[in-house]
């Protein structure tokens, strides 16, 4: 099961280490990223873009794939699952699907709309 990126980052700051963040695009890529994290005994952030998630079958499919792979591969290091630069609808969908972190990118919106939409999203990370 994925963990909170916030807790992961607080621990990294407290203990003086960095956390790698790796975008995934398919099953094999995800397996490699998870295997590398386990071999390095290092927590990581597994992240996906809106386009990659669509290619892989949707946000729920990504959550299920990552969690199932963690289980079947015996992954014991902390893994956070993050939406990388998603729009408002994608951010909401990822929260509902079970992502443990989101990055809502409202940079194309007028400032006030960006701020309002950001405040509407729950702070999950």
């Amino acid at each position: 099961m994925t963990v909170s990126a916030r807790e992961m980052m607080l621990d990294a700051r407290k203990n003086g280490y960095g956390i790698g963040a790796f975008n995934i695009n398919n099953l094999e890529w995800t397996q490699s990223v998870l295997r590398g994290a386990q071999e390095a005994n290092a927590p990581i952030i597994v992240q996906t873009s809106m386009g990659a998630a669509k290619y892989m079958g949707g946000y729920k499919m990504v959550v299920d794939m990552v969690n199932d792979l963690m289980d079947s591969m015996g992954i014991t290091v902390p893994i956070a699952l993050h939406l990388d630069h998603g729009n408002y609808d994608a951010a909401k969908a990822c929260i509902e699907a079970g992502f443990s972190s989101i990055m809502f990118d409202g940079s194309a919106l007028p400032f006030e709309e960006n701020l309002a939409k950001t405040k509407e999203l729950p702070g999950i990370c």
Side-chain angles (χ1 to χ4, degrees):
M1 190 64 122
T2 59
V3 301
S4 163
R6 183 182 194 288
E7 296 303 317
M8 188 185 288
M9 290 200 189
L10 289 172
D11 188 67
R13 185 175 196 171
K14 177 182 173 185
N15 293 297
Y17 63 90
I19 299 170
F22 305 92
N23 278 51
I24 57 170
N25 295 297
N26 59 35
L27 173 68
E28 295 80 12
W29 203 307
T30 307
Q31 289 171 315
S32 296
V33 167
L34 292 174
R35 187 176 300 111
Q38 188 67 35
E39 288 175 5
N41 195 32
I44 62 167
I45 298 170
V46 173
Q47 54 190 33
T48 188
S49 66
M50 293 171 21
K54 182 178 179 183
Y55 171 77
M56 289 186 279
Y59 301 117
K60 180 75 169 100
M61 176 65 84
V62 172
V63 170
D64 291 344
M65 179 182 66
V66 170
N67 284 330
D68 288 349
L69 284 172
M70 288 175 62
D71 182 51
S72 67
M73 294 173 69
I75 303 300
T76 58
V77 295
I79 305 291
L81 181 56
H82 177 75
L83 171 65
D84 190 24
H85 292 271
N87 65 27
Y88 180 78
D89 291 335
K92 284 182 64 176
C94 285
I95 292 167
E96 292 169 9
F99 275 59
S100 59
S101 175
I102 58 159
M103 190 279 184
F104 164 58
D105 185 349
S107 61
L109 302 173
F111 178 77
E112 292 302 323
E113 184 179 357
N114 183 345
L115 182 62
K117 286 191 178 296
T118 300
K119 286 180 179 181
E120 289 174 20
L121 295 167
I124 64 166
C125 60

